[in-house]
């Protein structure tokens, strides 16, 4: 969130903003803090153009975990105690709420990315250390709706850090509606996806800091988040003489905690191999997204259909230029390798289609010749 002008309060006074404040977070907190379903969480990740990817590197995650366990981040105000690792499985199903449940319908429409998409329900199961559920029933079932995302500006000090070390911040406001399990089954649809989480939760008075290893299939990500304890926030807001000032104070405390976590993560050098892997993964994700766009796929097919090596080089440059426009920073070697693979796949598809078309044409000619020869063979036979 960039700095906006000072915001007038209801009593005519002005709550003064300072450089580095997050006024959008303050305004959303002020507007929604009374909502009993509100969840406010800040996450560390990477932002490229208009996309935020939550998570840090394995090295950054491990260093943050050690620092928190050893009490090396005093500004977070963590309570005494060593949290255990909690293992859970989340299963996401499509959900068709009853027609008369307007709250869930509104919740679902907020989460859907298109008018045809149904909302989702998350069922969470407690697991043993190996990741096997302890029982058939979930301990929690809820529907989550994203209200807003606020991207927090980087600190000036980040400008001197290598690009792959920089950590970005996002604060999200969501509604979490806990659903009764009784009568839920008729509305459940297909399983969308499943994830395994191994989480440590560090408690403080105003928030909880959660470090989570998330596994989806063969892919593992390392998430770091700071979630506000809304019961503590509401208590402070209700007692405040000036709620806008209190919302700003809470926002500053949350942002300061997130920035301290980001600073510590950014100081962790990423091993060269891990950096290469993450660079390749970022390029692959962007290319996959681009190839799903009809106009990009059609343009690549048109370019590889032209005969000659030069046409293939031009197709490869086309994909490289496309990704450079979409990613804030990119490894050229990873980009050229990945783009080359996409062009090779497109060329293979083109040659297969051309081969099948030729075979179909040859088969049609053979059938026509056989049809013309059939009367002569009948005459010779009889």
């Amino acid at each position: 969130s960039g700095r906006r002008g000072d915001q007038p309060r209801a009593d005519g006074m002005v709550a003064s903003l300072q450089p580095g404040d997050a006024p959008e977070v303050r305004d959303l907190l002020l507007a929604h803090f009374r909502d009993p379903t509100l969840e406010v969480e800040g996450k560390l990740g990477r932002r490229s153009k208009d996309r935020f990817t939550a998570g840090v590197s394995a090295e950054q995650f491990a260093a943050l975990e050690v620092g928190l366990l050893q009490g090396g981040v005093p500004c977070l105000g963590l309570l005494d105690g060593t949290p255990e690792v909690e293992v859970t499985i989340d299963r996401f199903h499509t959900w068709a709420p009853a027609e008369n449940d307007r709250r869930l319908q509104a919740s679902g429409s907020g989460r859907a990315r298109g008018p045809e998409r149904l909302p989702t329900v998350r069922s969470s199961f407690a697991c043993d250390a190996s990741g096997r559920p302890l029982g058939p029933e979930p301990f929690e079932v809820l529907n989550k709706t994203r209200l807003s995302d606020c991207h927090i500006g980087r600190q000036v000090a980040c400008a001197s850090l290598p690009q792959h070390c920089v950590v970005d911040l996002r604060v999200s406001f969501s509604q979490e509606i806990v659903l009764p399990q009784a009568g839920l089954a008729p509305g459940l649809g297909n399983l969308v996806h499943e994830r395994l989480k191994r989480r440590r939760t560090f408690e403080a008075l105003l928030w909880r800091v959660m470090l989570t290893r998330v596994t989806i299939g063969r892919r593992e990500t390392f998430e770091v988040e700071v979630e506000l304890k809304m019961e503590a926030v509401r208590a402070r807001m209700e007692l405040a003489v000036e709620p806008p000032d209190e919302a700003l104070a809470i926002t500053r405390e949350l942002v300061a905690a997130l920035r301290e976590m980001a600073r510590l993560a950014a100081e962790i050098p990423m091993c060269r191999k891990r950096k290469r892997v993450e660079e390749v993964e970022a390029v692959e994700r962007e290319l996959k997204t681009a190839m799903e766009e009809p106009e990009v796929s059609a343009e690549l097919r048109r370019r590889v259909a032209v005969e000659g090596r030069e046409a293939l080089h031009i197709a490869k440059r086309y994909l490289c230029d496309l990704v450079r426009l979409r990613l804030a920073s990119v490894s050229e070697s990873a980009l050229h390798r990945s783009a080359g693979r996409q062009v090779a796949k497109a060329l293979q598809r083109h040659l297969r289609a051309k081969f099948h078309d030729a075979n179909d044409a040859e088969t049609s000619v053979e059938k026509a010749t056989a049809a013309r020869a059939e009367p002569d063979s009948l005459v010779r036979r009889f």
Side-chain angles (χ1 to χ4, degrees), residues 37-41 144 172-176 225 227 230:
T37 67
L38 183 66
E39 178 198 63
V40 182
E41 61 181 4
K144 185 172 181 176
S172 299
F173 287 74
S174 306
Q175 288 178 317
E176 287 192 339
E225 56 193 295
E227 179 183 334
M230 291 309 301

Side-chain angles (χ1 to χ4, degrees), residues 103-178:
R103 182 178 66 168
L104 286 181
Q105 285 180 328
S107 172
S109 63
R111 188 170 180 80
R113 292 182 182 177
E116 76 288 346
R117 182 172 174 181
L118 291 173
T120 57
V121 165
R122 186 187 80 198
S123 301
S124 300
F125 299 80
C127 299
D128 59 21
S130 66
R132 283 193 290 251
L134 297 176
E137 298 298 326
F139 66 84
E140 181 182 65
V141 179
L142 57 83
N143 170 256
K144 185 172 181 176
T145 304
R146 184 63 52 83
L147 298 177
S148 184
D149 289 327
C150 302
H151 297 280
I152 308 301
R154 294 176 179 175
Q155 295 286 67
V156 177
C158 290
S160 61
L161 294 171
Q163 184 61 32
H164 66 271
C165 290
V166 174
V167 178
D168 294 306
L169 302 173
R170 182 187 69 189
V171 177
S172 299
F173 287 74
S174 306
Q175 288 178 317
E176 287 192 339
I177 300 176
V178 178

Side-chain angles (χ1 to χ4, degrees), residues 12-30:
M13 301 294 288
V14 173
S16 175
L17 294 176
Q18 300 173 1
D21 278 340
E24 291 181 5
V25 176
R26 185 272 312 269
D27 294 346
L28 286 165
L29 186 62
L30 189 60

Side-chain angles (χ1 to χ4, degrees), residues 101-344:
D101 197 333
R102 297 182 181 275
R103 182 178 66 168
L104 286 181
Q105 285 180 328
S107 172
S109 63
R111 188 170 180 80
R113 292 182 182 177
E116 76 288 346
R117 182 172 174 181
L118 291 173
T120 57
V121 165
R122 186 187 80 198
S123 301
S124 300
F125 299 80
C127 299
D128 59 21
S130 66
R132 283 193 290 251
L134 297 176
E137 298 298 326
F139 66 84
E140 181 182 65
V141 179
L142 57 83
N143 170 256
K144 185 172 181 176
T145 304
R146 184 63 52 83
L147 298 177
S148 184
D149 289 327
C150 302
H151 297 280
I152 308 301
R154 294 176 179 175
Q155 295 286 67
V156 177
C158 290
S160 61
L161 294 171
Q163 184 61 32
H164 66 271
C165 290
V166 174
V167 178
D168 294 306
L169 302 173
R170 182 187 69 189
V171 177
S172 299
F173 287 74
S174 306
Q175 288 178 317
E176 287 192 339
I177 300 176
V178 178
L179 305 178
Q181 297 184 37
L184 183 69
L188 288 182
N190 296 328
L191 178 67
V192 179
H193 74 275
E194 179 177 297
R195 68 186 182 191
L196 175 68
K197 298 191 303 188
R198 301 179 186 274
R199 168 177 287 174
R200 286 189 195 270
T201 302
F202 300 83
E203 300 285 347
L205 294 177
L206 188 59
W207 50 62
R208 53 183 63 92
V209 179
M210 294 176 286
L211 304 186
T212 312
R213 296 173 182 261
V214 182
T215 304
I216 302 177
R218 298 174 60 184
R219 182 169 175 262
E220 187 176 33
T221 57
F222 304 88
E223 297 190 357
V224 179
E225 56 193 295
V226 180
E227 179 183 334
L228 284 178
K229 292 183 174 179
M230 291 309 301
E231 62 277 10
V233 171
R234 293 187 189 98
R236 284 179 54 172
M237 294 288 289
E238 294 290 354
L239 293 174
V241 177
E242 297 292 347
D245 288 351
E246 191 63 30
L248 181 58
I250 293 171
T251 299
R252 284 174 177 167
E253 292 174 44
L254 173 63
V255 171
L258 286 167
R259 283 184 170 147
E260 179 64 13
M261 296 286 285
R263 184 190 67 80
L264 294 172
E267 291 178 352
I268 308 303
M270 190 183 303
C271 73
R272 185 170 299 177
K273 181 178 179 181
R274 177 71 186 181
K275 178 186 174 184
R276 286 200 304 267
V277 169
E278 293 196 350
E279 288 172 344
V280 171
E281 288 177 347
V283 171
E284 292 282 3
R285 281 196 302 270
E286 200 59 48
L287 277 172
K288 182 180 178 181
T289 301
M291 293 301 297
E292 291 173 352
E293 299 173 11
E295 60 273 16
V296 175
S297 181
E299 179 64 16
L300 184 60
R301 287 198 303 270
R302 185 187 70 80
R303 290 173 183 266
V304 300
V306 179
E307 300 290 340
R309 294 176 60 87
E310 182 60 27
L312 299 181
H313 286 302
I314 293 174
K316 182 177 175 180
R317 286 201 298 269
Y318 163 70
L319 287 182
C320 290
D321 292 340
L322 191 67
V323 172
R324 288 191 192 100
L325 291 174
R326 299 183 178 201
L327 290 179
S329 64
V330 64
S331 165
E332 288 297 318
S333 58
L335 176 58
H336 281 273
R337 283 196 301 270
S338 300
R341 282 195 293 269
Q342 289 292 342
V343 171

Side-chain angles (χ1 to χ4, degrees), residues 69 79-84 200 202:
L69 288 172
L79 304 178
D80 293 336
T82 301
E84 298 293 329
R200 286 189 195 270
F202 300 83

